[in-house]
């Protein structure tokens, strides 16, 4: 982005500096809280609009607040005293959710406009925004044998209706808060994140969790069929949660990446059919596939071009899908069995 701003070096981040993480009752931000806590940060404020009893992860000793960040008045106490703000709150879900609830997705712009302003007013040194590969031009994603998406492919813009456009405009806020007001912002475009402690049932789950749950259900019900949306030829890449939180930390603290959108995803492309085959292998079962051609399927193909992240960080997400999927399958199986026994689980 065009700006003549000079990046001044930050004082060293101290372990007792205030860190704010929103969306912390959800999948990625919950894991980010755990990550920073494990790194020894002692003043983390975790925020989500969900009641605390519904958070996937609650980290003991972390200030955990139930507040709606789409309400401006709430964002000021949320950001009070913050040195760093990680804003991951969003109304979102897998394809089934974002194709059906476009208005809800668009309304996340309220969270992002209020949070960035509150972070700025609070004097936060750095602000992180979780964007998405859905911000990319959909016209470039009409073929399952996709060319991987590079950062410049967002413009000319033709983002995913609803969700993708909201991400694009919120990215723009991050760019201008740096250009006009000098707050250091970081923007990562996540490509499908998966792993334990995420949504696995209820309609907001994404493909890896959905395929694991459906397989577990089929085995449990002794009805070895699996329903899939589309013809299974859609291709995607999937990033394991541990890579995602590590990437967030690296991107947030890289001075070369201020106000610069960057892909955070793997470049291991698989079709949904291949994804199901991997789950079958883990579960030790073969399922009859039933394709629902009218189901939401999203773009035909999407992959992350990691040239830029490798150049900037000398790193890219690298957990093999087989490894991450096994951990995810085992976690969902545990949840499924716990729920079956009548115990309460977060879905
Ligand atoms: N999971 C992915 O594959 C993926 C891909 C691209 C981008 N992202 C982005 O990453 C971020 C985190 O996603 P996730 O997968 O953890 O989703 P998630 O649904 O598990 O977590 C989001 C959390 O935000 C909370 N939230 C929603 N509205 C809120 C509000 N007004 N105030 C406070 N909290 C609110 C929700 O209750 C939820 O717990 C989101 O911004 C999402 O758009 C995720």
């Amino acid at each position: 982005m065009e700006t003549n701003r000079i990046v001044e070096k930050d004082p060293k981040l101290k372990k007792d500096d205030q860190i704010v993480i929103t969306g912390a009752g959800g999948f990625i931000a919950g894991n980010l809280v755990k990550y920073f806590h494990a790194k020894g940060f002692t003043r983390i404020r975790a925020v989500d609009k969900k009641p605390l009893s519904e958070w996937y992860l609650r980290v003991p000793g972390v200030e955990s607040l139930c507040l709606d960040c789409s309400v401006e008045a709430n964002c000021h106490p949320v950001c009070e005293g913050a040195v760093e703000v990680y804003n991951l709150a969003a109304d979102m879900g897998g394809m089934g959710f974002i194709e059906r609830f476009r208005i809800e997705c668009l309304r996340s712009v309220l969270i992002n406009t209020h949070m960035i302003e509150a972070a700025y007013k609070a004097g936060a040194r750095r602000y992180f925004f979780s964007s998405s590969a859905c911000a990319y031009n959909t016209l470039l994603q009409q073929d399952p044998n996709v060319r991987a998406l590079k950062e410049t492919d967002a413009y000319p813009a033709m983002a995913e209706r609803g969700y993708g456009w909201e991400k694009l405009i919120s990215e723009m806020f991050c760019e201008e808060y740096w250009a006009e007001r000098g707050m250091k912002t970081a923007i990562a475009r996540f490509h499908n994140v998966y792993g334990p402690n995420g949504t696995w049932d209820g309609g907001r789950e994404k493909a890896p969790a959905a395929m694991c749950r459906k397989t577990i259900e089929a085995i449990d019900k002794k009805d070895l069929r699996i329903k899939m949306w589309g013809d299974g030829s859609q291709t995607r890449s999937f990033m394991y949660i541990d890579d995602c939180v590590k990437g967030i930390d690296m991107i947030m603290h890289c001075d070369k990446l201020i106000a610069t959108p960057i892909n955070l995803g793997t470049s291991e492309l698989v079709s949904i059919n291949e994804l199901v085959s991997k789950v079958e292998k883990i579960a030790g079962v073969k399922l009859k596939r039933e394709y629902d051609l009218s189901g939401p399927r999203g773009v035909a193909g999407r992959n992350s071009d990691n040239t830029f992240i490798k150049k900037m960080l000398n790193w890219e997400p690298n957990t093999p899908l087989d490894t991450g999927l096994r951990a995810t399958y085992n976690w969902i199986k545990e949840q499924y069995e716990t729920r079956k026994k009548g115990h309460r689980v977060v879905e």
Side-chain angles (χ1 to χ4, degrees):
M1 194 200 29
E2 293 260 327
T3 168
N4 297 324
R5 275 196 185 279
I6 294 167
V7 180
E8 282 169 25
K9 213 170 152 34
D10 286 345
K12 194 174 165 1
L13 189 65
K14 299 195 297 291
K15 288 290 190 280
D16 63 351
D17 277 340
Q18 180 74 59
I19 291 179
V20 169
I21 301 177
T22 70
F27 172 42
I28 302 174
N31 279 284
L32 191 63
V33 171
K34 196 172 133 196
Y35 170 88
F36 281 124
H37 187 261
K39 272 188 114 177
F41 286 90
T42 54
R43 291 179 63 216
I44 302 171
R45 184 178 300 136
V47 186
D48 202 288
K49 74 170 180 189
K50 282 198 295 208
L52 296 177
S53 60
E54 291 176 20
W55 291 28
Y56 293 127
L57 280 168
R58 283 281 306 280
V59 183
V62 167
E63 179 188 7
S64 300
L65 305 177
C66 174
L67 280 173
D68 183 343
C69 299
S70 66
V71 177
E72 186 182 4
N74 290 340
C75 295
H76 297 294
V78 163
C79 292
E80 178 69 38
V83 174
E84 293 192 345
V85 175
Y86 296 81
N87 179 25
L88 285 91
D91 226 338
M92 70 89 70
M95 228 43 238
F97 182 84
I98 67 176
E99 283 199 359
R100 162 125 174 58
F101 298 106
R102 295 189 181 110
I103 295 176
E104 293 312 314
C105 291
L106 282 167
R107 285 177 62 84
S108 288
V109 78
L110 294 171
I111 304 173
N112 297 323
T113 49
H114 294 324
M115 277 299 298
I116 198 166
E117 176 69 11
Y120 173 74
K121 288 229 169 98
R125 208 186 282 158
R126 288 185 187 242
Y127 175 91
F128 177 90
F129 173 59
S130 49
S131 187
S132 163
C134 291
Y136 282 117
N137 190 325
T138 49
L139 301 177
L140 300 172
Q141 305 169 61
Q142 292 173 331
D143 182 343
N145 302 311
V146 278
R147 161 175 83 64
L149 293 161
K150 50 185 188 306
E151 285 74 3
T152 46
D153 289 333
Y155 296 97
M158 187 50 74
E160 187 99 37
R161 271 175 72 182
Y163 182 72
W165 280 102
E166 191 282 318
K167 291 293 188 193
L168 213 50
I169 188 76
S170 294
E171 284 188 359
M172 218 173 270
F173 274 96
C174 293
E175 290 166 27
E176 299 305 353
Y177 269 77
W178 165 244
E180 258 182 57
R181 300 194 188 175
M183 179 167 67
K184 289 175 181 159
T185 57
I187 308 158
R189 293 189 182 138
F190 298 166
H191 289 248
N192 296 303
V193 191
Y194 74 98
N197 299 305
T199 313
W200 60 280
D201 203 357
R204 285 182 187 249
E205 64 279 13
K206 298 194 146 210
M211 296 312 152
C212 288
R213 189 204 67 239
K214 287 179 184 187
T215 305
I216 294 162
E217 259 167 11
I219 296 171
D220 183 39
K221 294 188 176 139
K222 301 189 176 49
D223 178 3
L224 297 184
R225 289 180 297 170
I226 186 163
K227 280 208 170 68
M228 295 164 64
W229 290 340
D231 60 6
S233 67
Q234 317 89 289
T235 53
R236 295 289 185 276
S237 71
F238 297 100
M239 167 172 54
Y240 193 56
I241 183 66
D242 292 6
D243 288 333
C244 181
V245 291
K246 184 175 174 194
I248 293 173
D249 186 4
M250 290 169 95
I251 291 168
M252 178 71 146
H253 298 108
C254 175
D255 279 346
K256 289 180 291 183
L257 287 174
I258 290 170
T260 309
I262 183 165
N263 280 332
L264 185 56
T266 70
S267 48
E268 184 184 352
L269 191 71
V270 289
S271 69
I272 303 299
N273 274 326
E274 285 164 340
L275 180 70
V276 171
S277 301
K278 285 179 184 295
V279 176
E280 284 177 332
K281 202 165 151 208
I282 292 166
V285 73
K286 269 267 165 238
L287 302 172
K288 183 173 183 315
R289 299 174 191 195
E290 294 179 349
Y291 299 105
D292 173 3
L293 299 180
S294 62
R297 63 196 301 274
V299 292
R302 177 180 291 154
N303 196 8
S304 176
D305 182 323
N306 284 351
T307 313
F308 187 53
I309 192 167
K310 281 192 280 189
K311 185 168 160 217
M312 289 291 119
L313 301 178
N314 207 11
W315 174 84
E316 66 178 316
N318 51 21
T319 306
L321 183 54
D322 286 322
T323 311
L325 208 51
R326 185 172 292 279
T328 309
Y329 181 89
N330 290 339
W331 179 80
I332 295 177
K333 190 157 179 278
E334 222 176 270
Q335 304 304 301
Y336 185 90
E337 282 160 7
T338 310
R339 185 176 69 179
K340 204 175 156 192
K341 283 188 200 137
H343 298 166
R344 194 157 183 278
V345 291
V346 180
E347 293 168 4

